[in-house]
Amino acid sequence: MSETDEGKRLLLKGGLVGGLALAAAASTAREAAAQSAPNSLLRTVLDRGKLIVGTGSTNAPWHFEDEKGQLVGMDITMGRILAKGLFDDASKVEFVRQDAAQRIPNINTGKVDIVIQFMTMSPARAQLIAFSRPYYVEGIALLTRPDSDKKSFDALLKAGSSARVSILQNVDAEASVKKVLPQSTVMQLDSQANVILALDSKRADAAAVDLSTVWWLAKRHPEKYADAGKSWNTMLYGAGMKQGDPDWVRFVNTTFDIAIFGHQNELYDAAVKDYFGAEPPQRQPGLPRF
């Protein structure tokens, strides 16, 4: 029997494990690239041998430098997940550090293959770039002090107007807080650092900041900060890509889906625990839940 005939026999009679193993062995990165559209970035990236990701470097827990000066964070992990999917090697990625204002221009000029930089998805931005599936749902949350009598959301709600909440100044700031704490006293401040400093100095009972910031600070400094247990105003974070390349977008979406909901989730799960102090999503066989 020839090798080709044997392969067919395994696919037909060897069951799921044997068939998938044979298909994986027969597929290489270059063969996958050859099956994509000739002008797809998927082919270009595979031929180049590395992924180029635009991101930031100053916003924990998303993208920041560790004690060794290496870029780490949840956005950085999502880039490494893509490199692992492309080359079976999470290190085959180059990170281009950029300001947030450069995110869309760097996509459309081709300076980077993809931007993974805690970019909020919106219809206006989707007119300019293509977005991946969401990889995180951000929201407003309440950071409190563990030694406070207003540590929990219920206690803040019960306190009425005596509950003081600091938030970054913007046109919707007061309405955002009043949505969940209608009687609270809102303090609008000029920087995120001052929003948290007001909590530290006990001028505020809670700081209204991003949920990811609450998780990050409460995990890193449990003696100073606590999660009040309330979040609202959902916003989707997605990776940004150039429009007009469905093969590349499908590859990114498939890789993210597998990392978040499927079987290749080691990098994603470790990052969720490390940067958010949270448990990864439960994956249950059966009907899809995403």
Side-chain angles (χ1 to χ4, degrees), residues 151-281:
K151 171 183 173 181
S152 70
F153 173 72
D154 287 344
L156 289 164
L157 188 62
K158 185 177 180 180
S161 60
S162 68
R164 300 160 299 171
V165 182
S166 60
I167 189 172
L168 184 65
Q169 185 176 15
N170 66 71
V171 66
D172 298 319
E174 180 139 357
S176 294
V177 175
K178 296 283 190 179
K179 187 174 182 178
V180 297
L181 293 170
Q183 296 179 353
S184 63
T185 299
V186 180
M187 304 165 53
Q188 297 194 46
L189 301 175
D190 60 354
S191 72
Q192 195 78 308
N194 284 335
V195 168
I196 295 174
L197 185 60
L199 178 67
D200 293 340
S201 63
K202 299 185 178 181
R203 290 174 53 222
D205 300 300
V209 295
D210 288 343
L211 175 61
S212 57
T213 300
V214 170
W215 281 350
W216 170 255
L217 291 176
K219 181 181 187 298
R220 284 296 185 275
H221 304 287
E223 75 286 355
K224 289 180 60 177
Y225 301 113
D227 180 353
K230 179 67 175 180
S231 59
W232 68 102
N233 277 20
T234 58
M235 298 172 287
L236 304 180
Y237 284 177
M241 292 160 281
K242 199 170 185 178
Q243 291 180 340
D245 192 345
D247 283 356
W248 179 232
V249 173
R250 276 194 292 266
F251 173 80
V252 171
N253 284 339
T254 299
T255 305
F256 281 2
D257 277 339
I258 292 168
I260 298 170
F261 301 106
H263 64 291
Q264 295 176 353
N265 45 47
E266 295 84 0
L267 290 174
Y268 183 83
D269 288 2
V272 167
K273 291 178 181 178
D274 192 19
Y275 302 124
F276 300 147
E279 286 301 313

Side-chain angles (χ1 to χ4, degrees), residues 13-207:
K13 301 179 72 174
L16 180 63
V17 174
L20 289 178
L22 182 66
S27 178
T28 68
R30 289 196 176 276
E31 287 170 345
Q35 294 170 20
S36 64
N39 58 346
S40 175
L41 187 59
L42 177 59
R43 178 177 294 191
T44 301
V45 172
L46 287 167
D47 286 343
R48 184 200 300 141
K50 71 174 179 180
L51 174 70
I52 301 175
V53 175
T55 193
S57 61
T58 59
N59 294 280
W62 293 100
H63 39 259
F64 62 102
E65 292 185 354
D66 64 11
E67 61 279 0
K68 298 179 181 178
Q70 300 295 313
L71 274 181
V72 294
M74 195 69 205
D75 284 338
I76 306 307
T77 297
M78 298 310 294
R80 296 198 183 282
I81 286 169
L82 283 180
K84 176 74 172 175
L86 286 161
F87 309 110
D88 198 27
D89 186 342
S91 70
K92 288 189 174 182
V93 54
E94 174 187 339
F95 292 103
V96 174
R97 303 183 188 212
Q98 59 187 21
D99 184 80
Q102 297 173 297
R103 292 178 296 189
I104 291 176
N106 283 354
I107 291 168
N108 286 328
T109 60
K111 183 175 181 179
V112 299
D113 301 324
I114 190 168
V115 163
I116 310 178
Q117 193 174 354
F118 67 179
M119 186 156 47
T120 303
M121 301 169 70
S122 72
R125 284 176 171 167
Q127 295 175 37
L128 304 173
I129 59 172
F131 277 107
S132 72
R133 68 159 337 278
Y135 61 90
Y136 178 77
V137 183
E138 188 62 280
I140 305 173
L142 296 170
L143 185 70
T144 56
R145 298 187 311 275
D147 60 351
S148 171
D149 61 354
K150 300 181 183 70
K151 171 183 173 181
S152 70
F153 173 72
D154 287 344
L156 289 164
L157 188 62
K158 185 177 180 180
S161 60
S162 68
R164 300 160 299 171
V165 182
S166 60
I167 189 172
L168 184 65
Q169 185 176 15
N170 66 71
V171 66
D172 298 319
E174 180 139 357
S176 294
V177 175
K178 296 283 190 179
K179 187 174 182 178
V180 297
L181 293 170
Q183 296 179 353
S184 63
T185 299
V186 180
M187 304 165 53
Q188 297 194 46
L189 301 175
D190 60 354
S191 72
Q192 195 78 308
N194 284 335
V195 168
I196 295 174
L197 185 60
L199 178 67
D200 293 340
S201 63
K202 299 185 178 181
R203 290 174 53 222
D205 300 300

